[in-house]
Amino acid sequence: MYCPARFAQPDSTSLHDLIAAHPLGMLVTHSDGLPDADHLPFDVYASEGILRTHVARRNPVWRRDGQQVLVVFRGPSGYATPDRVEKEETGGRVVPTWTYNVVHVHGRLRTIDEPAWLLAQVTRLTDRMEHMQAEPWAVSDAPNDYIEGMLNAIVGIEIVIERIEGKWKTEPPPRVRTTPGGGAINA
């Protein structure tokens, strides 16, 4: 990822927080020499340096066990028009841009096909997503035989984080100017 130093986000806590707040990651792998992308909800285990998710057994991505992969997480983004004050100050030498926060995680894909691991993973993901609901649904709400069948239909994926990088290309905070009388106004 091209990342000028002024946009680099070196704080690992901020990077993990973005992943937790925006868990739908784009898992980039290679198949037959071409890039492939799967969009999957991930859990980040910051203290262990691990991402975890699961896929349908029919999804061939889990067969890429051992492959070096990239997972991209995107936070808030949007169009940013040139700042009126900056435009005046620079004689119009400004352009619009796009603001965004993004985290790239590099690691090696490892598949896990253990029912207890899969149950723990889907339970954690479900609990995290459901906790804000008025009546949260839990994996344990479904019949055991149904859950067992569903667990047989998925495969776990774990990615040990070998490198993580973030780019915070966000709109700058409102500028404060002083008036001729010394008061401050938002620019």
Side-chain angles (χ1 to χ4, degrees):
M1 165 173 60
Y2 171 68
C3 187
R6 70 181 183 274
F7 300 130
Q9 174 53 268
D11 179 50
S12 63
T13 300
S14 295
L15 302 177
H16 294 134
D17 287 350
L18 183 136
I19 295 169
H22 303 277
L24 186 66
M26 180 175 57
L27 172 63
V28 181
T29 59
H30 285 86
S31 174
D32 298 324
L34 296 173
D36 196 11
D38 286 270
H39 302 269
L40 306 166
F42 284 86
D43 273 321
V44 61
Y45 293 74
S47 63
E48 299 173 47
I50 293 174
L51 295 176
R52 289 185 178 138
T53 191
H54 64 278
V55 296
R57 192 170 293 278
R58 288 184 168 187
N59 184 335
V61 72
W62 68 269
R63 297 186 187 279
R64 298 180 189 139
D65 189 64
Q67 190 177 104
Q68 190 71 36
V69 298
L70 166 67
V71 185
V72 179
F73 296 93
R74 199 182 90 192
S77 70
Y79 175 82
T81 190
D83 179 83
R84 178 182 51 81
V85 174
E86 185 179 15
K87 189 164 64 172
E88 291 171 9
E89 291 173 351
T90 63
R93 290 182 178 92
V94 295
V95 295
T97 189
W98 199 267
T99 63
Y100 56 91
N101 294 353
V102 67
V103 173
H104 286 192
V105 174
H106 302 263
R108 200 161 296 280
L109 187 144
R110 181 172 85 93
T111 59
I112 301 171
D113 199 7
E114 301 167 10
W117 187 97
L118 289 164
L119 180 60
Q121 198 277 325
V122 297
T123 298
R124 176 181 160 143
L125 181 62
T126 301
D127 290 349
R128 191 164 60 90
M129 295 295 123
E130 286 283 330
H131 84 279
M132 296 294 286
Q133 301 298 321
E135 294 183 37
W137 183 86
V139 172
S140 60
D141 291 343
N144 285 338
D145 61 335
Y146 178 75
I147 295 301
E148 286 176 23
M150 296 306 291
L151 292 175
N152 287 327
I154 63 175
V155 178
I157 290 178
E158 183 173 85
I159 298 166
V160 175
I161 300 171
E162 295 173 0
R163 182 167 54 105
I164 186 169
E165 56 187 339
K167 183 175 184 179
W168 265 219
K169 189 172 186 263
T170 54
E171 194 167 353
R175 296 174 38 159
V176 177
R177 291 189 301 157
T178 55
T179 64
I185 60 170
N186 285 334

